[in-house]
């Protein structure tokens, strides 16, 4: 019994000592903290300074990474714009030679409703081009090209290109090329070749006529040149000095005479 009593007392004393050791630092800390005079503003300034340093350290790598990415991205943007320029250059409409030897962006040109008129008292020296139609009542010394219809009642000294051609009492010296019908009215004089898909000749033509379709040579017509067509109709009274060839016809002439 005496042994256990002594052991219990010794154990209790050890526990009390441990408790005393734990409580003493807590009390000292509380007393030291509360007893001292604290400058609140200086402590807050210190905290603000620490916060600024921390934020700078955090933001600096992000900014540097953004700068590096921007620097690496700039050459890619330059390459992209370079290839875009190349692609735009490649995507431009192919240029082909038109019937007058000039370059054209496309053979299928859009026809505008615009109608340009060269009045009777006007004289134009130089080439004339239009996306619409042109009516020449005056005089043009130069080539004429239009996407629409070309009507000449005056004078043209130069080659012409159009989607449809009509001459009425006109004086033309130059090649006439049209993707449609060529009509040469009474009193018109054309010195030059005519190329069309069909033609009606009632005036005077000095030059070859090359037509993929039919040709009608009217009574008042005078043609000095060869006619090459799909079919030809010569009315009574027409004068033709040249050869007529229906080379665009579907008939195989050689097979007809094979006996």
């Amino acid at each position: 019994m005496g042994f256990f009593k002594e052991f219990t007392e010794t154990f209790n004393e050890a526990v009390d000592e441990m408790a005393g050791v734990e409580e003493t630092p807590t009390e000292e800390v509380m007393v030291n903290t509360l007893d001292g005079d604290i400058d609140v503003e200086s402590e807050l300034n210190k905290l603000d300074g620490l916060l600024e340093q921390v934020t700078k350290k955090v933001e600096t790598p992000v900014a540097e990474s953004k700068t590096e990415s921007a620097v690496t991205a700039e050459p890619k943007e330059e390459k992209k714009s370079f290839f875009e320029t190349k692609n735009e250059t490649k995507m431009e409409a192919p240029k082909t030679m038109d019937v007058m030897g000039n370059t054209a962006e496309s053979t299928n040109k859009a026809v505008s409703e615009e109608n340009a008129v060269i009045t009777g008292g006007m004289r134009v020296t130089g080439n004339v081009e239009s996306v619409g139609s042109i009516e020449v009542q005056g005089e043009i010394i130069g080539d004429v090209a239009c996407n629409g219809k070309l009507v000449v009642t005056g004078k043209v000294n130069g080659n012409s290109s159009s989607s449809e051609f009509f001459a009425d009492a006109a004086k033309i010296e130059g090649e006439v090329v049209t993707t449609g019908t060529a009509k040469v009215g009474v009193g018109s004089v054309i010195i030059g070749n005519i190329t069309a898909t069909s033609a009606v000749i009632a005036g005077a033509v000095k030059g070859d006529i090359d037509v993929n379709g039919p040709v009608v040579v009217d009574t008042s017509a005078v043609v000095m040149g060869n006619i090459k067509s799909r079919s030809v109709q010569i009315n009574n009274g027409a004068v033709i000095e040249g050869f007529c060839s229906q080379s665009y016809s579907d008939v195989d002439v050689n097979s007809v005479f094979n006996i």
Side-chain angles (χ1 to χ4, degrees), residues 27-74:
E27 292 177 357
E28 289 178 356
V29 172
M30 295 295 293
V31 170
N32 292 335
T33 303
L34 294 176
D35 290 342
D37 294 335
I38 299 174
D39 189 356
V40 178
E41 293 181 358
S42 64
E43 295 296 329
L44 290 176
N45 291 331
K46 291 179 181 179
L47 292 174
D48 292 338
L50 292 174
L51 290 174
E52 289 178 0
Q53 293 178 0
V54 172
T55 53
K56 287 181 180 179
K57 291 181 180 179
V58 174
E59 293 177 355
T60 301
V62 176
E64 290 178 354
S65 61
K66 289 183 179 180
T67 304
E68 291 176 359
S69 62
V71 172
T72 56
E74 286 179 358

Side-chain angles (χ1 to χ4, degrees), residues 77-116:
E77 291 179 356
E78 292 178 358
K79 291 181 179 179
K80 183 177 180 181
S81 60
F82 175 78
F83 287 114
E84 285 178 353
T85 305
K86 288 293 184 181
N87 292 333
E88 290 177 358
T89 304
K90 291 180 180 179
M91 292 176 65
E92 291 180 354
K95 295 183 179 181
T96 56
M97 298 295 293
D98 62 12
V99 293
M100 295 189 299
N102 299 323
T103 57
E105 292 183 355
S106 175
T107 54
N108 298 324
K109 296 180 180 179
V111 180
S112 173
E113 295 181 357
E114 297 179 357
N115 186 19

